[in-house]
Amino acid sequence: MKIGIFGGTFNPIHYGHLRSAEEVRLAFGLDRIFFVPSGNPPLKRKDLADAGHRYNMVNLAARDNPFFEVLDIESIRSGKSYTVNTLEQLLKNYADTDFYFILGVDAFLDIPHWHEPLKILSLVNFIVISRPGKNFVDLFHSPYLGLKRTSLASLDRGETASVTTVLQSAKRVALAAVTPIGISSTEIRKCVKKGASIKYLLPAEVESYIISNNLYREKN
């Protein structure tokens, strides 16, 4: 079985996340996508909603897609949430599964600063997707890929659908462009804070949850 792991704070989840996950699932023939909302990330922002709220919002957003599943593996974990621990737990829980860790260009470039980065790169395969305002050619500076700048630039120009390479760990990394959707969780939080509409930026159920739970508003 081939399963994609889509992690993140999802603070909150929006249509950009959901569309990217669906496109990756179809493009790479994945059987399922596991959404893994982070629990207590090492660098916690002050406007980060509680893990329980973010897990509930992802559940609401993903429930209509039978190929999407939301895991609470990080939401219920005490202490800091490290990706390496999550991946090890998933490999233990789901034997004989071919996992693909889905993340954006910016996140992949940040891996050297994560906890035990080389171990992370040895555990699962990767699918690195485009992000609005980010370029694949920036991955030329990654210490792990070793891809030619021309190959990366062809992805940015839309001349190539995807590029795959193999890491020193023998795990695969596929780079693929997805539909650019200029929605960001940061902008959604800003809209909520100033009382602006967030309709059509995320599923209606998530919008209702944010309003009913008074999330992202200024605390008096």
Side-chain angles (χ1 to χ4, degrees):
M1 181 173 283
K2 296 168 62 176
I3 295 178
I5 304 168
F6 199 169
T9 55
F10 300 116
N11 189 41
I13 191 169
H14 54 68
Y15 282 128
H17 297 128
L18 296 167
R19 179 62 194 179
S20 293
E22 180 68 358
E23 288 189 19
V24 167
R25 182 184 72 81
L26 293 171
F28 292 92
L30 304 181
D31 297 292
R32 299 188 73 76
I33 299 286
F34 283 173
F35 284 82
V36 184
S38 64
N40 186 21
L43 299 177
K44 186 174 182 179
R45 299 190 298 269
K46 64 179 181 180
D47 59 352
L48 183 68
D50 288 343
H53 283 313
R54 290 182 288 108
Y55 172 80
N56 290 339
M57 286 189 285
V58 178
N59 251 327
L60 289 170
R63 66 183 181 182
D64 289 335
N65 191 322
F67 300 102
F68 289 175
E69 184 173 342
V70 187
L71 305 185
D72 63 0
I73 188 171
E74 289 198 7
S75 302
I76 63 174
R77 183 186 296 152
S78 60
K80 296 293 183 182
S81 297
Y82 291 109
T83 297
V84 65
N85 300 138
T86 299
L87 296 179
E88 287 180 320
Q89 188 63 52
L90 288 173
L91 288 167
K92 181 180 178 181
N93 293 351
Y94 299 89
D96 301 320
T97 296
D98 199 11
F99 278 116
Y100 292 78
F101 189 29
I102 304 164
L103 69 173
V105 169
D106 48 343
F108 190 85
L109 284 170
D110 195 48
I111 285 181
H113 304 108
W114 293 10
H115 183 61
E116 297 191 70
L118 294 180
K119 189 170 186 179
I120 290 172
L121 294 168
S122 73
L123 293 173
V124 295
N125 302 302
F126 289 79
I127 298 174
V128 182
I129 59 175
S130 55
R131 293 253 294 154
K134 307 297 178 182
N135 298 310
F136 282 113
V137 75
D138 294 334
L139 293 170
F140 181 73
H141 302 292
S142 169
Y144 310 123
L145 296 181
L147 288 168
K148 294 182 179 179
R149 190 187 292 269
T150 52
S151 298
L152 297 168
S154 69
L155 277 169
D156 286 324
R157 292 192 297 267
E159 298 168 354
T160 307
S162 65
V163 172
T164 300
T165 188
V166 180
L167 300 171
Q168 289 186 346
S169 65
K171 294 299 182 181
R172 298 183 301 280
V173 178
L175 314 180
V178 295
T179 300
I181 299 178
I183 301 174
S184 77
S185 298
T186 300
E187 290 304 315
I188 290 173
R189 295 195 303 273
K190 287 180 179 178
C191 285
V192 174
K193 189 172 291 187
K194 64 184 181 183
S197 172
I198 57 173
K199 189 178 293 294
Y200 308 126
L201 297 176
L202 35 63
E205 297 89 345
V206 178
E207 178 190 11
S208 296
Y209 188 94
I210 290 171
I211 294 170
S212 62
N213 287 277
N214 204 31
L215 300 181
Y216 308 124
R217 294 192 175 278
E218 293 282 6
K219 291 183 171 55
N220 298 323

